[in-house]
Amino acid sequence: MELLYSDASPFARAVRIVIRQLQLNNVKETVSHPFNNEPILLHANPLGKVPCLIIDDQQALMDSEVICDYLDQHWGKGQLYQSIKHTWPLHRYFTLTKGVLELAVAFQQEKLRKEQHCQSGFWLERMQQGVQRSLNELAQTLKLLPDTQTIAHVFLGCCCDYLSFRHAELQWQQSFPALAKWFDSQCCGEEWLATKPGVH
Ligand SMILES: N[C@@H](CCC(=O)N[C@@H](CS)C(=O)NCC(=O)O)C(=O)O
């Protein structure tokens, strides 16, 4: 299998962390920046987005949640998704975390539009407020995360680190110290260091 990814993508990072946590050695990781529109990516995923997992000549999966679920079902005995699929508050927590990631990526894209002189103050503020409100809830309901590792843990860690990477000015650690403490204690393993954006 081949995973097309970009270093900065937090969605791709979640997949790369799952690959390491499941100790898979049958996935080749290939950088394909989505804005380069490489034929291999566009052929595998017409959306032109990473991550994309090419399974074989006939099949490719897009979307980080779906790819992680596929890997977990085939090589992880379903342990990363089991509690999410059976516990609605945890499922909600996971969905909110993914939503923050989507907002944070869109927020970054809006920041980049400054160079094209078409940045929208309305959208910048709306996305920032959405991130702040949602992080507040994620921080206050951290206890919903079970002790055993789930896909929600992986996405929350990717979310926290992406905010530090792209939106350092938000200083989320100062506003949400419990979340910062959780991140420091949970997301320090080899799989996190090896996939940290902007380092390799
Ligand atoms: N819902 C998708 C989102 C993937 C996504 O938005 N990827 C971004 C990089 S972080 C991308 O490829 N953007 C290129 C584009 O929007 O054209 C997932 O979970 O994989």
Side-chain angles (χ1 to χ4, degrees):
M1 293 185 287
E2 182 172 9
L3 178 76
L4 305 179
Y5 78 99
S6 75
D7 178 59
S9 166
F11 298 105
R13 188 181 187 197
V15 177
R16 297 178 71 215
I17 284 176
V18 165
I19 287 171
R20 285 157 180 75
Q21 290 184 342
L22 297 180
Q23 300 182 312
L24 304 183
N25 51 18
N26 55 345
V27 185
K28 178 182 166 206
E29 294 183 342
T30 304
V31 172
S32 182
H33 193 288
F35 294 164
N36 291 345
N37 287 327
E38 287 164 4
I40 186 172
L41 176 62
L42 299 187
H43 178 70
N45 181 5
L47 295 172
K49 294 189 181 201
V50 292
C52 177
L53 181 72
I54 300 173
I55 297 172
D56 56 36
D57 290 349
Q58 308 294 327
Q59 301 178 77
L61 290 177
M62 69 283 281
D63 198 281
S64 53
E65 180 181 353
V66 174
I67 297 171
C68 292
D69 199 358
Y70 174 84
L71 296 175
D72 187 38
Q73 271 189 41
H74 284 76
W75 287 279
K77 301 183 191 129
Q79 74 247 26
L80 288 173
Y81 278 83
Q82 201 167 34
S83 46
I84 302 274
K85 288 176 180 169
H86 292 98
T87 319
W88 281 106
L90 183 57
H91 203 134
R92 181 182 194 280
Y93 193 97
F94 176 46
T95 302
L96 188 59
T97 307
K98 278 187 305 168
V100 177
L101 263 188
E102 274 157 23
L103 273 181
V105 167
F107 185 19
Q108 168 65 9
Q109 284 166 352
E110 193 61 41
K111 279 182 180 174
L112 293 176
R113 283 157 64 94
K114 191 171 184 180
E115 291 156 22
Q116 297 151 1
H117 307 287
C118 55
Q119 197 177 54
S120 160
F122 169 81
W123 280 110
L124 279 178
E125 193 181 333
R126 187 166 173 77
M127 290 186 240
Q128 180 176 333
Q129 288 175 349
V131 167
Q132 303 273 17
R133 273 195 311 268
S134 307
L135 266 193
N136 187 38
E137 178 174 327
L138 292 175
Q140 284 190 12
T141 54
L142 259 179
K143 60 179 182 318
L144 287 174
L145 289 177
D147 291 341
T148 49
Q149 183 80 354
T150 70
I151 195 65
H153 293 71
V154 175
F155 273 73
L156 182 61
C158 291
C159 182
C160 291
D161 227 10
Y162 184 76
L163 291 173
S164 303
F165 175 54
R166 290 296 198 206
H167 306 297
E169 75 286 357
L170 296 183
Q171 299 189 318
W172 69 269
Q173 297 94 331
Q174 286 179 22
S175 309
F176 309 107
L179 188 57
K181 196 171 161 204
W182 175 87
F183 176 78
D184 289 342
S185 66
Q186 300 272 323
C187 306
C188 50
E190 187 50 44
E191 73 274 33
W192 292 94
L193 299 177
T195 58
K196 207 167 179 62
V199 171
H200 305 281

